[in-house]
Each structure stands twice: as C-alpha cells, then as structure tokens.
C-alpha cells in the first residue's frame, strides 16, 4: 500500500516539485502517473523510495510512515521495491548479468539461487543472449530493458517505473507493459510514470495526473473508452 | 473508493505469499551466514585485485605508509639501542681514577679491590698502562705515534662502577673527592654532567619519539583515509546505484575497509623490510665503532613479537583510516 | 550532405548493427530515422559523428569520405554537428549554463559572444530560468532539453538527434520538433532518430526505417496522409 | 531522387551562408589568439584550484615528488662537499714525515723548507710537537691524559704536499723512500692506498648518484604520470563529452599538463626546503667536526642558479609525466 497525505516537496533550490498531493494506492493495485515534463512525477517516485524526503505531509508504505523510518531501515524498504529509473542507473563496469544480479547480492541471496533468477528476469525482457555484454554496448532500449530486469529480479512487492518505455518502440512498449501487468496480477503493486498517453489509454488502469506539482486527476484514464474489471465503477 | 480494491486485496494476499516464499527460500539464518561469509571472502579478494589493477598508485600509497611507519619505529629502535649502549652508565655511574705514574699493576689491583668495598660502589676494574696503550693502538692512526713513543706515557686506571640508584649528585661528588684524596690517585674523574645530559637527551628523544609516533599514526590514518576517499570518489556511481538497490552502509563500506586493511598491512610489511635494511646497514657501521669502544655491541632489532605488533598496528590504523573515510564519504553519497 | 554507400557496421562483439545501408540526405534536408529497439539507429548516427567507424562501405559528409578523415580532423567534423544524445551526455559537475557553453568554449569562441548565444539557446528550450542550476537537479525532460540547447548553441550546419523526445510529454515533443523544423528552414541538415511514430506522421518528412540493421524504408512516412512541399512527389 | 532536392539545395546555400557568418563573427586570427590565451590563463588557474580542492592527496603526491627530488640532489651535494673537503688531497697527495725526537722547531722548519724545493713537491708545512699536542687536546677525552703525561710524547711532523698530477704511485713511493732516508726523519708516511680508495669511492658515489638521479627522475615522471592518470580517470566523462563536442586532444590535455607542471614545481620547491633543512642540520654537525680537524669547512649548498635549475627540472619532469599519461590515456578515451 502506498499512501500520500498532503505531501509537499520543496527542493533546496526553492522549487516546489509537489504541492499538497494526496492519494492512496492499494496493495496489488496498478496505476499510471502522468503529467508534463517537470510536473513532479520523478519526485513523487523518489519520495516513495526515500531518495528524497517530503517537506511536509506524510508518505505511508505498508502502514509505515516514511518520515519515521530510521536511516538504518531505508535499505530494507528499498529491497521491497523494484525501481526502473528514468536514467537507467546501470553500472558500466560490469556485465549485464552482474547488473541484474546486484539486488540479489545486496539482499544476501545464496549464489546458487542467483543464476536462476537473473536468467529468468533477462529472459522476460528478451535479453538473455546479451547477458555477458557490458551495458554500454547495448542500445538505449536494451539498456532500459536491463533496468527493468533488475527491478523485477527479486520479485519485490512494489514496482516503480519512471518512463520505462521512453526509449522503446511501440510494440516493445506494449510488451513491457504487459509484463508489468503480469506482475500486478500476482499481487505486485505497480506504479508507472509515463508520457505515453496512448499506452495508458490502452491499458485501462487508474492514472494519477500531475500538473506543476499538483494532482489534478486521480482515477481511470479519461482516454480509456472501455474499462476492465478493476475500473468498471468509474 | 474503488470496487477494484477488493480484487486488489485478494491479489495483495498473493503478493505476501510470494513475498514469504522469497523469505523462506533464501533467508534462513544458516544460509544467510553462509552467504555473508562467502561475500566477505569475495570482497577481500576483489579489493586486493583492485589494488593490483593500479599497481603504481597502490605502491605509491604503500610506500608513503611504509615511510610513515618506519620513521617512528626506527627512532624507537635507535633510542632502545642507545639506552642499551649506555646500559652500564644507565644503571651505574662510572668513575675513572687515573693513578700516579710508576705504580705497579699489583698496587693498582690492590687499590681496585680496596675501593670495591666502599659504600655505593658496585664494582671496580683495574686497567693497566699496557692495556690502555693497546686500546689506544687499536684506534686508527694512533698506532704509529704510540709505537714511536720512547716509553708508555699512559697511567694505570681504576674504573669504579657506582650504583646509581642510591646516589645523588652530591654523594657522587663526595665519593669522587674521597677517591681523589687517595695518595695513589692522580686524578679522579666522574662524568655526572655528561651522564645527566645523556639521560635528559634519551628522555627527550623518547618523548619526541612518542609524539612522532602519535603524529605519524595520525599520518597513516590520514593517508589511508585520503586514498580510500579517492577510491570512493572513483566508485561514486557504483555506490549510489548499490544503495538505491537496498544495500546497507555496511555492505557498501566493506570493500573499502578491506582495502584500508591491505594498505595498512602492506605498509607495515614494507616498513619491516626498510627497518631491517637500516638495521643491517647500521650494524656494519657500529661494528667498527665496537672495536674502538672495546665492547661487543649487538643491535637490538624488532624481533618476531614486535614485528607482528607492527603489522597488527598497521592493519588497525589502515582499517581505522578506511573506516573514517568510508563512514564520512559513503554517508554523504546518498542517491539523488 | 550525408551519404551512406553500402555501409555495414559490425561491432567487436560480432553483432552486425548495420547491414549494407545506403541513402543520401541532401544539405538542408530533414529526415526521421526509425525502427525497433536495437535496429541500429544510434549506430547509424554514431557513424556520422565518427564515434564509430564503418566496417565496410563509405560514409560521406559534405563530399568528405569519413574513412579518409585523419584523427586530427575529427574535432572539426564534430564542431559542424549539433548532436542530441540518447543519454543526454551532460556534465553534472557544472551548471546548466556551463554545459550549454561547452561547444562554444571548445571551438574557441570569444567570451563576449558566449553569454549571448547560450542564453539564446536556453530560451529556445524554455529553460533560461534554470541556467544556474546543476543538470542533476532537473527532471528527465528538462535534462533532455538542455542537451538540445547544447546541440544547437553554435548553430551547426548539421543537427543529429537520438530520441530527443523520449522523456518529453506530447505537447513539448511537438514544440521541440517545431524547433528542429525551424533550424531546418534556415538550412540546417536535420536527422532525428525516434520511436514516436505519431510525431513522424504529423511532421510530413522523409523517414528512414531500419529493421535489424537493414534499411527497409526510405521515403516519406507511410503514416503521413498529406505531404508538404518537400515530399509532394512521394 | 526527390524533387525536394532542389528546395534543399536552396536552403543548403542558406546554410553555408550562416556557416560563413559563424566563421567571420568569432574566428578572426586576432580574436582566436586572444581567446586561446585567455583559455590558457583560465586552465592554469583552474588546475591549481583543482589541486587545492583535494589538499591531502595533492600534498601526498607533492611530498613523494619532493622526496624523490631531494634524494639525488642531497646525494650530489654530499658528494660535492666530500670532494671539496678532501679538496687538497684531491689535487695533491700528502706525505707526513715524523721527525726524530729532540729536534728543535728551527731544525724542523729548515727541513721543511729544504724539502719544499724537491721535484714534485708543491709545498711543505712544519707541525711542532706543541701544535700536535694542542690539536690532540682539542679531541674529547684526550686532554686529561695528555696533560697527565710527564712530557710531550709527540714528535714534530713535516707535512709534504705533493702535486698529484705528475705523480704515479711509483713516483710517490720513491719520494717517500727519499724522505725516509733523511737522517732527521723517523718515519715517512704516504697514504696512497687510502687516497686511491677515497677517489674510487667518490667516483663510485658519483656514478651511483648519476644512476640514482636518472632513476628518480624516471620516478618523478612515473609518479606524476600516475597521478595524472588518476585525475584523467576521475574526469573520464568530462573528457568524453568534451571530445564529442569537438574538442581537440590538445584542448582536453591542457588542464592535465598544467596540473603536472604544478606538481613538478611544487615537488621541487618542497625539495629545496628539505635540502636546505638538511644542509642546516649537517652544518651544525660538521661545525664540531671542523674544530677537531682544525680546518674551517663551510658546506656548499645549492645556490640560486642550481635552485632555479632544480625547479626548472621539476617543472619539466612534471610536465613530461603529465604529457605521457595524458597522451596515452586521453587517446584511449574515445567516446562510445
Ligand atoms: N534535486 C533537485 N533540486 C532542485 N529542483 C529539482 C530537483 N529535482 C527536480 N527538481 C525540479 O522539480 C521539478 C519536478 O521534477 P521531476 O523530476 O519530478 O519532474 P518529472 O515530472 O519527472 O519530469 P520529466 O517528465 O521531465 O522527467 C522540476 O522543475 C525540476 O527542475
Ligand atoms: N558498442 C557496442 N558493442 C557491441 N554491440 C553494440 C554496441 N553498440 C550497440 N550494439 C548493438 O548493436 C545493435 C544496434 O544498436 P543501436 O544502439 O544502434 O540500436 P538503436 O536502434 O539505437 O536502438 P534503441 O532504439 O534501443 O536505442 C544492438 O543490438 C546493440 O546491442
Ligand atoms: Mg522524471
Ligand atoms: Mg539508440
């Protein structure tokens, strides 16, 4: 469960990236986050994974108030979240395999389990054949998919994705979204920030719309003509 | 809010099921300890490999450390040796009685034995004119001159060892006057001032050495700390990404702590080599001195226990430097 | 003028990223480059700016065969090209202003000219008010626009853009494309790699379509129902 | 191919117009030179600022360089001084004639004057027994003994300075035999072996110093090179991006060359301080020696010209190290 209660985020520069944002995402729900460039999407996601802290208001994850979470517990929070970063955040000093294995090593998985899981995740993004390459040798879209594989490799209960399909062609974007949907179907809470309105329209999920830091939309996407089971009362 | 919530709750349970599945599958205590251990081994190995990738800069740091460790260690050894060299005068004050010319060796020995019974006197030794001449002859350049002399110009000498413990400077002076008053004694010499000076110097040197040791220990910590800081800077991205993925500070810090450890141990080992090389060179130099002084001096080196202590200290200081740098700089490297 | 004659690019890994690609872009022409993720778009652009060299075939820029260009002349070639990189390639150790000023400093412009040009370029991407900030403090889309400002700041005769709108919302994407079009109208040769098929459709320009390294389309976009002056005979 | 080509050609001309406009507006030669100069000034300043941002590691490198520069410089100074100390015996061989006991000073002086006229003899000096005794007395510990002697046991000595140039070992031996045959002379001593040994040692030391100088010059280049390599590594991204934007290798290399220059100059300056500190300490030590030897020795230091040369050498080596590292590593950093 992810809950924002009147959250405002003002950066040191004075920039107010989020203004009084409130919403709740139930466990196992899937939603989109959209809005213009600089609207505050990445900031909202950063607050959830404690890359930034709210200036005022409260962020709750699984009935835990993040403001009250001690520094010591941040790593445990982050291990619950698979995150696809807008700028990939891959390490170019090691192979694709090692990049994807990182969350497992950090969490102290046994070496015996790691290989199986990493290959499974790489297979899902169709990049198993590139496991030995350096991410720098991959195309922009391939790098993005490595980031997705790393986010899902330890099957976290939360999945946050920031513009995960910005460098992907429409067909691949749809496949990746399908992948997220499958994760959601086994209970993972999914929140995806994206500009791809057409994709949102096709997916029939709830969407949060930001404008200049304020939440101006919170419900099924207006672009969606037909709603699925999840959305049928909107 | 949404009817969908119900559906989500159901799948939410699914989620926690799969979450538990993860926990049980790979987070049992035994398995965790095992992977923790193998991770330590791996990190220790990798951090050595990383040092070997940049051999010149690693060597540079290790050399600086070695010099910083060698300096106080060598100074301490010199002080120990000097104190040992002056060992007899350290525990005892020595008085020289130059006898009147013309006294026979028997008379000299008798006098020596007589004085040995005085209060505060530990022992005495008679040096005959011939012995004195011989020891002079062994000094370079004097042989010819002394051989050239018509007769041995040197007097007999009685060396009086006085126990220092019970001895004030006044007592010593009184003892000297008593000896000087003896008929057979031409001159009685006791070098208290020199002795006091030497003791003061050794004391000062020990203080300087202590301060220097402390300073250079701080220096070692700083040098390791700085090197680790550079290593952290160059692995900034890796640290940030690893933290983003849920690595604890301890996990991120680990390779750097090992690196500091290796630096400290490496520096101490090279320092040991340097110290022993210095000792070897000094021993050669002192051997000639020994001949002149007529005593047989063997330099006290470090010995096994002290060597081990040195390495241990190096390791600890290296680790400390790394720890300080790592805690400070890694905490500052929060992902943004 | 950009001309590819039977260009094949095989990376050291054995991957053939481009296979026998031939096309010609006249001076002052504007075209799109599209294709699936990993099709070879970035590779094609990298060949033009000599980040990579062709395995076989020839790349000609302004009647200059790049294979015959000595290392010494590469910088001069690059100064003729404004490039928007897929991964921004911004420097996070200096301000937005300094990032945009870099091409001018490198080319030895007089300090007096630099300020004026930099502010002009930042104004075009609507980020003049952020000139003093560090690019790291900007949103993904804002970073992308800084990259665009840097590419155009020295008014180069060529403009290459690799996925320049991947992190921008549709409205902003259209504006940026309009900007590229304006550059094209004053004579700049523009080549834009993008996945945004809708955008391509709206722009009515020629488009090169790659699939698995082969050029499978070379003409006005099939999605465009009405053609403008440049394309009216296709 | 396309009809549009025509349209494009037209706009293409526009392009080249605007291209030319760029060229004329800011690429006139005078303006280029001016901005090139101001860029050099800026880069020189920025590279110093960069060194000050990481003071500990900069200082560490500079200290290592200073030590590497000090070692050969100090060794060369020691050799120069030793050679100067032995200056008279370097150009001349000295023979000591120990006279028979009982000769008067007048006789001694006469003999000295007589021998001064011999072939191959540069000059002679008569040392009376009293002078010899006085010089012995100034040596620590001897005063008492000598005062205590019934009569002065030392003979008069004639010191004969022989011009070495024209002198083979055989000639010297013949000269000694001629002097020894004189009635008034008890012993004639000529220390050719020692002289030859000393010369050999100085020669060897000079060779060692030359090799050491060369080695440590290479060391300086390596240390600077390595430091510059690390700096390049830590600015990898900046270099790649700048190259992508059309920077020449010279442009990218410039800040690193300045950095190497500052390192070299800094190391040489610290070395100068170290050398002068050593000289000061040595002068004090040698002053006491001078008293004993009876000659007045002033240590030859570096002097202004040599100091400047040292700084220049440091600057050149630093620049060279930086240049080697920069050319090698910057060429390898091609954007991908
Ligand atoms: N570290 C920071 N310091 C100061 N301002 C910041 C910082 N990070 C983001 N901002 C500002 O906050 C605003 C919101 O940024 P955010 O990254 O959340 O936008 P976004 O919705 O993700 O945009 P985009 O779609 O372009 O990625 C922007 O105006 C940005 O300039
Ligand atoms: N340096 C490299 N070494 C080896 N293979 C590479 C290298 N760079 C790219 N490739 C491979 O070449 C192919 C084409 O890559 P390229 O970056 O040109 O694709 P792209 O069309 O730009 O894709 P995207 O839309 O995902 O950015 C990919 O399969 C990629 O993995
Ligand atoms: Mg964003
Ligand atoms: Mg690409």
């Amino acid at each position: 469960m992810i809950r924002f209660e009147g959250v405002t985020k003002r950066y040191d520069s004075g920039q107010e990236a989020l203004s009084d944002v409130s919403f709740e995402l139930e466990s196992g729900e899937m939603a989109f986050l959209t809005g213009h460039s600089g609207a505050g999407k990445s900031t909202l996601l950063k607050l959830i994974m404690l890359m930034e802290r709210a200036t005022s208001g409260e962020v709750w994850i699984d009935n835990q108030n993040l403001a009250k979470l001690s520094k010591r517990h941040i790593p445990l929070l982050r291990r619950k979240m698979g995150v696809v970063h807008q700028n990939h955040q891959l390490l170019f000093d090691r192979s694709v395999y090692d990049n994807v294995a990182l969350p497992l090593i950090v969490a102290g998985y046994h070496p015996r389990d790691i290989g199986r899981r990493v290959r499974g995740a790489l297979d899902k993004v169709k990049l198993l054949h590139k496991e030995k390459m350096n991410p720098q040798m991959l195309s922009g879209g391939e790098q993005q998919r490595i980031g997705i594989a790393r986010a899902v490799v330890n099957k976290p209960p939360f999945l946050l994705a920031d513009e995960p399909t910005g460098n992907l062609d429409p067909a691949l974007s749809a496949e990746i979204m399908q992948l997220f949907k499958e994760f959601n179907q086994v209970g993972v809470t999914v929140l995806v920030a994206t500009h791809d309105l057409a994709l949102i329209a096709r997916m029939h999920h709830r969407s949060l719309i930001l404008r200049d830091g304020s939440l101006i939309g919170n419900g099924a996407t207006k672009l969606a003509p037909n709603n699925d089971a999840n959305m049928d009362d909107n | 809010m949404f009817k969908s919530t119900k559906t989500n709750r159901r799948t939410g349970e699914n989620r926690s099921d799969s979450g538990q599945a993860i926990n049980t599958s790979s987070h049992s205590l035994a398995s965790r300890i095992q992977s923790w251990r193998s991770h330590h081994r791996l990190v220790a190995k990798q951090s050595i490999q990383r040092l070997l990738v940049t051999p010149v800069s690693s060597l540079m740091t290790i050399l600086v450390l070695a010099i910083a460790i060698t300096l106080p260690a060598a100074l301490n050894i010199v002080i120990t040796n000097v104190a040992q060299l002056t060992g007899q005068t350290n525990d005892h004050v020595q008085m020289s009685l130059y006898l009147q010319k013309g006294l026979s060796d028997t008379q000299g020995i008798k006098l020596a034995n007589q004085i040995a019974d005085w209060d505060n006197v530990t022992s005495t030794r008679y040096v005959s004119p011939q012995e004195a001449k011989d020891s002079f002859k062994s000094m370079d350049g004097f042989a010819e001159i002394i051989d050239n002399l018509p007769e041995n110009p040197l007097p007999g000498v009685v060396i009086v060892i006085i126990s220092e413990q019970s001895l004030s400077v006044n007592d010593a002076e009184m003892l000297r006057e008593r000896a000087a008053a003896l008929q057979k004694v031409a001159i009685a010499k006791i070098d208290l001032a020199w002795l006091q000076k030497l003791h003061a110097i050794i004391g000062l040197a020990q203080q300087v050495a202590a301060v220097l040791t402390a300073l250079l220990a701080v220096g070692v910590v700083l040098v390791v700390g700085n090197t680790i800081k550079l290593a952290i800077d160059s692995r900034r991205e890796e640290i940030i990404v690893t933290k983003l993925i849920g690595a604890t500070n301890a996990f991120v810090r680990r390779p750097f702590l090992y690196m500091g450890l290796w630096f400290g141990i490496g520096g101490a080992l090279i320092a040991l080599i340097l110290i022993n090389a210095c000792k070897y060179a000094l021993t050669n130099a002192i051997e000639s001195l020994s001949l002149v002084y007529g005593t047989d001096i063997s330099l006290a080196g470090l010995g096994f226990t002290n060597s081990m202590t040195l390495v241990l200290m190096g390791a600890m200081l290296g680790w400390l430097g790394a720890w300080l740098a790592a805690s400070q700089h890694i905490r500052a490297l929060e992902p943004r």
Side-chain angles (χ1 to χ4, degrees), chain A, chain B:
Chain A
M1 176 216 62
I2 299 171
R3 189 167 73 239
F4 275 56
E5 291 178 2
V7 171
T8 295
K9 172 65 192 178
R10 191 176 295 110
Y11 282 108
D12 292 341
S13 62
Q15 174 83 30
E16 190 163 304
L18 288 179
S19 319
D20 194 21
V21 170
S22 301
F23 70 92
E24 179 167 349
L25 213 65
E26 304 276 341
S27 283
E29 199 175 344
M30 177 162 178
F32 288 105
L33 181 61
T34 180
H36 62 87
S37 171
K41 302 178 294 299
S42 299
T43 302
L44 192 148
L45 294 180
K46 284 178 182 172
L47 289 177
I48 298 175
M49 59 184 124
L50 273 182
M51 278 173 78
E52 298 285 352
R53 283 183 183 270
T55 311
S56 66
E58 290 176 356
V59 180
W60 291 76
I61 305 291
D62 278 349
N63 296 316
Q64 167 98 54
N65 183 347
L66 293 195
K68 298 230 171 77
L69 195 72
S70 74
K71 273 208 156 183
R72 229 160 38 78
H73 286 100
I74 295 179
L76 295 177
L77 174 81
R78 290 197 181 138
R79 287 182 205 172
K80 289 203 293 187
M81 300 181 176
V83 183
V84 184
H85 294 273
Q86 194 165 8
N87 53 351
H88 314 347
Q89 302 272 23
L90 297 177
L91 293 176
F92 292 154
D93 63 349
R94 59 197 73 190
S95 68
V96 163
Y97 178 97
D98 288 338
N99 266 281
V100 177
L102 207 52
L104 303 176
I105 291 171
V106 158
Y109 276 71
H110 195 279
R112 159 189 72 225
D113 298 340
I114 291 179
R116 193 173 36 81
R117 284 175 184 262
V118 169
R119 297 216 171 77
L122 280 175
D123 197 33
K124 276 191 190 127
V125 295
K126 301 190 190 329
L127 283 174
L128 188 49
H129 59 293
K130 304 231 169 187
E131 61 168 333
K132 291 208 179 65
M133 294 182 90
N134 186 302
Q136 211 155 15
M137 293 178 170
L138 300 184
S139 80
E142 286 163 347
Q143 290 180 3
Q144 204 157 36
R145 284 183 275 160
I146 301 299
I148 293 167
R150 190 182 62 185
V152 303
V153 70
N154 64 339
K155 303 212 172 72
F158 292 90
L159 186 58
L160 309 177
D162 197 352
E163 209 74 66
T165 60
N167 287 306
L168 301 183
D169 53 283
L172 205 50
S173 298
E175 283 181 46
I176 292 296
M177 282 302 168
Q178 187 54 39
L179 182 66
F180 288 169
K181 207 163 178 166
E182 283 165 20
F183 269 94
N184 176 242
Q185 272 154 10
V186 297
V188 177
T189 312
V190 180
L191 182 58
V192 181
T194 182
H195 289 299
D196 196 337
L197 302 180
L199 201 77
I200 299 177
R202 259 181 280 120
M203 294 286 286
H204 320 303
H205 278 288
R206 184 178 161 197
S207 73
L208 306 165
I209 303 168
L210 285 170
R211 186 197 292 155
D212 282 333
S214 302
L215 199 63
I216 58 161
N218 180 356
T221 162
K222 282 162 212 104
L223 295 163
N226 53 340
N227 291 332
D228 70 354
N230 272 5
M231 300 286 167
D232 53 7
D233 61 341
N234 279 285
Chain B
M1 207 176 177
F2 296 99
K3 200 176 153 195
S4 63
T5 321
K6 225 182 273 169
T7 327
N8 288 335
R9 284 228 178 87
R10 185 185 49 71
T11 52
E13 276 153 28
N14 277 1
R15 195 266 306 152
S16 63
D17 281 352
S18 69
Q20 269 192 337
I22 290 167
N23 282 341
T24 48
S25 77
S26 33
H27 284 71
S28 81
L29 191 65
S31 144
R32 285 200 70 122
I33 286 176
Q34 198 191 334
S35 53
W36 182 82
R37 264 208 203 144
S38 74
H39 184 249
H40 261 271
R41 258 200 305 278
L42 186 75
V43 166
K45 213 180 74 189
Q46 281 176 342
S47 58
I48 282 195
Q49 284 166 345
R50 239 171 230 280
L51 293 184
L52 295 180
V53 167
T54 54
V56 180
S57 48
S58 300
L59 205 68
M60 220 174 102
T61 303
I62 287 182
L63 270 184
V64 171
L65 293 178
I67 290 170
I69 295 172
T70 302
L71 278 181
L75 189 58
N76 276 315
I77 289 177
V78 167
I79 290 171
T80 309
N81 278 308
V82 169
Q84 186 175 304
L85 258 177
T86 61
Q88 68 247 54
T89 52
N90 199 7
D91 294 333
H92 314 288
V93 180
Q94 180 176 323
M95 177 162 67
S96 301
L97 306 180
Y98 294 89
L99 305 184
Q100 298 290 2
K101 293 264 334 180
L103 281 179
S104 72
D105 286 357
T106 333
Q107 282 174 305
I109 292 170
K110 209 176 130 198
L111 183 66
N113 287 340
Q114 184 186 325
I115 294 173
D117 292 338
W118 288 7
D119 282 355
N120 288 332
V121 170
T122 305
S123 68
T124 58
R125 185 161 67 85
Y126 171 67
V127 180
S128 73
Q130 188 57 41
E131 278 178 86
K133 187 178 165 189
D134 289 349
S135 81
F136 262 96
K137 273 180 78 171
S138 70
M139 288 171 79
D140 209 32
F142 281 86
E144 308 258 4
I145 294 168
I146 284 171
D147 277 345
N148 219 32
L149 297 176
E151 54 170 313
N152 183 358
L154 299 169
V157 180
V158 172
I159 309 284
V160 181
I161 308 293
I162 310 173
S163 58
E164 198 200 339
Q165 289 91 320
S166 55
L167 196 77
S168 71
V169 175
N170 272 349
D171 289 345
E173 183 53 26
M174 271 167 61
L175 205 61
R176 195 194 68 77
E177 277 167 13
R178 185 177 168 195
L182 290 174
Q183 212 195 356
K184 291 173 185 163
V185 174
I187 306 169
K189 238 185 110 175
I190 188 164
D191 203 351
L192 273 178
W194 177 82
L195 183 74
Q196 285 165 332
K197 232 187 252 171
L198 183 70
H199 279 193
I201 288 173
I202 290 180
L204 189 70
Q206 275 165 338
Q207 281 176 5
V208 167
V211 171
L212 194 76
T213 305
L215 278 182
L216 287 171
V218 172
V220 167
V221 170
L222 276 184
V223 168
V224 172
N226 177 62
T227 309
I228 297 297
K229 178 186 172 295
L230 290 182
I232 290 173
D233 279 354
S234 77
R235 292 169 69 184
R236 233 181 137 267
E237 236 185 302
E238 179 182 349
I239 292 171
I240 288 180
V241 169
T242 324
K243 275 193 169 190
L244 266 183
I245 279 164
T248 57
N249 278 335
F251 180 95
V252 175
R253 211 157 41 208
R254 201 165 295 148
F256 299 105
L257 296 186
Y258 271 103
M259 201 182 257
L261 200 65
W262 300 143
F263 273 132
I265 291 176
L269 288 179
I270 304 282
L272 275 184
I273 294 176
L274 286 181
I275 289 167
N276 281 308
C278 285
K279 195 199 139 190
Y280 179 77
L282 263 180
T283 304
N284 280 353
I286 286 180
E287 245 157 34
S288 31
L289 260 181
S290 307
L291 289 179
V292 175
Y293 275 37
T295 51
D296 204 31
I297 300 155
S298 73
L299 260 191
L302 267 180
F304 183 74
T305 320
N306 281 335
S307 301
M308 284 302 102
T309 312
L310 196 77
V311 173
L312 198 72
M313 289 296 294
M316 276 171 52
L317 290 177
W319 188 89
L320 181 66
W323 191 84
L324 289 176
S327 345
Q328 184 187 345
H329 296 288
I330 288 178
R331 197 170 320 129
L333 276 188
E334 276 302 323
R336 298 261 144 206

